[in-house]
Amino acid sequence: MAASPTPSPADAEPAGLPAALAAARKSALIALAELAGSASSAANPANPAYPAGTVNAGAAAPESSSAGSDASRGPRPRAPATEALHPLAVAFSGGADSTALLRLACDLAPGRVQAFHIHHGLQDAADDFERHCVTLCSAWQVPLAVVRVQARHAPGESPEDAARRARYAALAEAARSHGAQRVWLGQHADDQVETLLLALSRGAGLPGLAAMSTRFERDGVHFERPLLAVPGADLRAWLQALGIEWVEDPSNQDATFTRNRIRLQLMPALEAAFPQFRQTFARSARHAAQAQSLLEQVAAADLAVGLAPTAMGVEGGEGEALPIAALQALTRERQANLLRHWLRTAHRTAPTAAQLEEVLGQVAACRTRGHRIHLRVGAGHLVREGPTLIFLPTDTAG
């Protein structure tokens, strides 16, 4: 949908919200109030007037407002308690999901919202997306920072994963440079189901089946997904009721991508056969997340008792060395659990199922001084160094 002059949300407040969106709005408001120290510090949701501001495309920090006295825009909302807080950042692509999220954020935290648009440059329409975001943020008087990234994928990495990794890194950097401690993301209930089905199609374990968490931390920045329980159709219906337009990503119709096939083919069938599938699938994902959390606690306990990694000084090595004898004392299942935990938390990598099985076999066979271990694992190699295992990233593994 092409960009066009959009009515200010202050002039187009809907009479009511879809139930799931109303619940998400209430939860977000409570969270913002808690961050402010009291419920009274949250912005009055009945008065969603927007503050004056400027579009700040690509700058290192938000520009200050210079149009607060413009009578056509109305007075700047009086929210001194919230203005003393850090900005609330919103990842804004221009699509329906992030547009609804930006609208919600401005309703709940007027004067505090900072929009970030990540320009991947992966398709011809990317410049059109940016222009739409600039137009909408200017109309809503929301500061916008456009960040351009190069999302090249490494050998064996999908372009989608590379773009996601680049996007989160860029959002974290933009948040830090603008003084924002948290970033809101626009994924919704349909995205959660797609993520779960995609994980199932790949034979994923508990981390994959847990799908997306409502909040997580990366590079010192808190990311949150306030709309994760809201169906995508509800968001679009709400925007249509407000007269707010959004852009459609043409790549979403490309059935060569597995996620798109899930969205275009499986989701309608699930809707017809199991109308409550979003809620039930989300519940299964929460169960998987709880089980994964328990496994992480077990792994942490194993590391702390008898398997605490020892300091090592091997040239090119990263982190610490893992004692092989102590690892062998665990059951095979706990060895696998600990190795996955250690590789993820200490080295930010993950083994494939085949790689992990090979490592476990070599650990079991490592009973002599001359036994050599040098195995490809994730983004590097696991190597035996004396009585320990160390991790070498690819560029130093040799």
Side-chain angles (χ1 to χ4, degrees), residues 47-387:
N47 178 25
Y50 284 9
T54 58
V55 175
N56 184 21
E63 294 179 2
S64 60
S65 169
S66 61
S69 59
D70 189 336
S72 66
R73 294 172 176 172
R76 182 182 178 91
R78 297 178 62 186
T82 58
E83 290 177 346
L85 300 176
H86 294 279
L88 173 60
V90 175
F92 182 44
S93 68
D97 315 334
S98 64
T99 300
L101 183 64
L102 183 63
R103 169 68 177 84
L104 180 69
C106 292
D107 179 5
L108 299 180
R112 288 182 51 207
V113 179
Q114 167 70 54
F116 296 141
H117 176 76
I118 305 302
H119 189 304
H120 294 94
L122 295 177
Q123 54 181 306
D124 294 338
D127 289 338
D128 293 334
F129 298 161
E130 177 186 341
R131 282 190 288 271
H132 171 83
C133 292
V134 169
T135 298
L136 190 62
C137 285
S138 178
W140 288 2
Q141 303 173 37
V142 174
L144 172 68
V146 176
V147 183
R148 298 175 182 271
V149 300
Q150 295 293 331
R152 297 189 181 91
H153 61 282
E157 183 182 29
S158 72
E160 183 185 37
D161 289 340
R164 184 184 304 108
R165 175 172 47 81
R167 180 166 62 253
Y168 283 127
L171 286 171
E173 175 59 29
R176 288 192 296 269
S177 67
H178 286 75
Q181 295 184 339
R182 62 193 61 248
V183 178
W184 277 10
L185 306 171
Q187 288 95 349
H188 51 70
D190 294 42
D191 296 321
Q192 184 76 316
V193 172
E194 292 169 13
T195 300
L196 176 57
L197 291 174
L198 189 62
L200 284 169
S201 73
R202 294 173 174 173
L206 286 176
L209 300 181
M212 294 182 288
S213 60
T214 55
R215 57 183 57 86
F216 63 96
E217 183 178 346
R218 180 171 299 184
D219 298 327
V221 176
H222 296 276
F223 291 86
E224 298 174 354
R225 298 183 172 105
L227 305 178
L228 205 54
V230 183
D234 285 2
L235 299 176
R236 285 167 169 76
W238 183 50
L239 291 177
Q240 288 173 346
L242 293 173
I244 297 173
E245 296 188 349
W246 63 88
V247 293
E248 295 285 359
D249 186 343
S251 69
N252 287 339
Q253 302 302 314
D254 186 349
T256 60
F257 294 108
T258 304
R259 181 179 284 274
N260 287 347
R261 292 198 299 276
I262 291 173
R263 180 184 306 117
L264 299 174
Q265 301 171 21
L266 288 184
M267 296 289 279
L270 287 170
E271 184 79 58
F274 308 105
Q276 301 299 315
F277 75 99
R278 293 178 182 83
Q279 294 90 330
T280 57
F281 280 32
R283 185 161 61 244
S284 292
R286 288 194 298 271
H287 292 327
Q290 291 171 356
Q292 177 61 25
S293 177
L294 178 60
L295 289 179
E296 290 174 357
Q297 293 174 44
V298 171
D302 285 340
L303 280 172
V305 181
L307 263 169
T310 57
M312 63 91 186
V314 179
E315 183 177 356
E318 282 190 350
E320 299 170 317
L322 198 63
I324 295 175
L327 187 62
Q328 291 171 332
L330 299 176
T331 64
R332 188 179 180 89
E333 292 78 13
R334 288 178 76 163
Q335 289 179 27
N337 184 50
L338 184 144
L339 284 166
R340 279 192 294 261
H341 176 81
W342 180 62
L343 288 167
R344 180 180 61 82
T345 57
H347 305 292
R348 293 191 176 187
T349 192
T352 65
Q355 289 172 344
L356 185 59
E357 283 299 310
E358 188 174 9
V359 171
L360 293 173
Q362 289 297 315
V363 167
C366 187
R367 302 291 178 180
T368 63
R369 183 175 299 177
H371 188 97
R372 182 176 182 269
I373 297 178
H374 193 286
L375 300 172
R376 176 64 183 265
V377 173
H381 290 76
L382 272 183
V383 178
R384 180 183 179 183
E385 181 69 22

